[in-house]
Amino acid sequence: MPELPVRAVGFVGLGRMGDPMVRRLAAAGVDVRGHDAAPGPRAAFADLVTIVDKPAEVVPVSGDGPPVVILMLPDSNVVEAVLGEGLLDGLTPGTLLIDMGSSEPMRTTALAERVAARGAVMIDAPVSGGVSGATAGTLTIMVGGPDAEVAVITPLLAVLGRVRHVGPVGAGHALKALNNLMSASHLLASSEALLAGERFGLDPAVMLDAVNGSSGRSGSTENKWPNFVLPETYNSGFALALMVKDIRIALGLAEATGAPSALAARTVELWSEAAAALAPDADHTEIVRWLRAGESTDPDPRSD
């Protein structure tokens, strides 16, 4: 493995996504100082990383390269709360603060100004690929930030997946939300079509095999349906509630910029209805269960 320019990082958020990410960093020889609000994740890492009690204590005090702190937190509210718990005041000049969760781009750019007032630099680097991608190190990482600082942290982030510098700070969070809007729309459209075919008498596995060699294919038909829906495991590792949060961010971005958003608005409505009907911890692929529950009970559409 090539030598990394950054050998020590702080990491806040040791949950479902943070867990495999931290393990990959530690395996690459990175000295990790970790913090999580919950005692369970802290205990799970006791023998692997240095666990600290407060967010401000994660900032590395030594190591090659600039101090780096990674946040893997659910949303902008939690990010701002963690910074308010002492992390912002604990940032030393030159620190690179990397938000790898799915936050709101406008709030990220505003937060970057507060971070800059401390002499530090904020970078947003949300990811796509779920828990399986985090475990395998195949995440797509959408990075927003200044060129020089992004170049410094790219080798470090490459331990976690495929790095793409997509623009200035806030650009990563914007693209992640838009990506999830597309993903959510694909899953709805694919599922409605597949359920219609199933009711007509087609085998879903046969449909998927044909579609995945045709123009109707998507991540939903190539990954979500065969791996999580057909086996009825519904365990992709990405929560439905988080999908709703992300697509609402994307819709807000579209509306703020005056972009067409009729389909986006309807997508948000349908996913919100599913979220209200399903369990709070439902996996996002369980929207297919919700669609099935609302299927028509009319007789075979082919009959007279």
Side-chain angles (χ1 to χ4, degrees):
M1 181 175 295
E3 185 71 16
L4 298 176
V6 175
R7 306 297 302 178
V9 304
F11 202 107
V12 181
L14 306 176
R16 182 176 291 180
M17 286 293 291
D19 182 310
M21 293 167 69
V22 165
R23 293 183 189 280
R24 288 197 65 83
L25 291 171
V30 178
D31 179 17
V32 180
R33 295 173 62 84
H35 172 79
D36 195 281
R42 293 201 301 267
F45 284 95
D47 296 331
L48 186 65
V49 306
T50 301
I51 298 297
V52 297
D53 293 329
K54 299 177 182 178
E57 296 172 349
V58 301
V59 182
V61 294
S62 62
D64 298 332
V68 171
V69 175
I70 294 174
L71 308 178
M72 194 62 196
L73 300 169
D75 54 40
S76 291
N77 289 337
V78 181
V79 168
E80 292 173 3
V82 167
L83 286 168
E85 291 171 3
L87 179 56
L88 182 62
D89 291 338
L91 296 178
T92 55
T95 299
L96 304 182
L97 179 66
I98 309 172
D99 181 359
M100 299 192 74
S102 298
S103 298
E104 299 172 42
M106 302 300 186
R107 291 171 71 174
T108 297
T109 55
L111 190 55
E113 295 181 2
R114 296 172 58 194
V115 171
R118 302 289 308 178
V121 176
M122 185 163 190
I123 295 170
D124 54 316
V127 302
S128 179
V131 174
S132 60
T135 302
T138 57
L139 295 169
T140 294
I141 305 171
M142 309 168 206
V143 184
D147 292 348
E149 284 77 8
V150 170
V152 170
I153 55 95
T154 291
L156 176 72
L157 296 181
V159 173
L160 305 174
R162 186 177 69 118
V163 181
R164 292 294 181 268
H165 186 190
V166 300
V169 64
H173 283 147
L175 183 54
K176 170 61 188 299
L178 295 169
N179 173 80
N180 278 11
L181 174 61
M182 288 186 275
S183 177
S185 301
H186 296 167
L187 184 53
L188 273 178
S190 299
S191 298
E192 288 187 353
L194 290 164
L195 292 175
E198 188 177 63
R199 281 183 56 79
F200 185 76
L202 295 170
D203 184 330
V206 172
M207 284 190 283
L208 288 169
D209 181 64
V211 167
N212 286 336
S214 306
S215 59
R217 67 185 181 275
S218 69
S220 295
T221 62
E222 292 179 331
N223 176 34
K224 297 177 185 181
W225 260 80
N227 292 324
F228 309 115
V229 178
L230 286 187
E232 298 185 338
T233 55
Y234 302 103
N235 60 349
S236 75
F238 183 61
L240 190 146
L242 292 179
M243 178 66 89
V244 173
K245 179 211 41 149
D246 287 352
I247 63 178
R248 282 176 175 162
I249 292 173
L251 175 59
L253 182 63
E255 292 174 341
T257 59
S261 58
L263 179 57
R266 185 57 179 148
T267 298
V268 170
E269 287 178 6
L270 290 169
W271 277 86
S272 298
E273 290 175 19
L278 294 169
D281 61 348
D283 189 87
H284 82 286
T285 57
E286 291 187 65
I287 194 170
V288 182
R289 282 179 166 167
W290 176 75
L291 288 171
R292 281 191 187 280
E295 283 184 282
S296 169
T297 56
D298 291 341
D300 188 332
R302 295 170 294 176
S303 62
D304 293 330

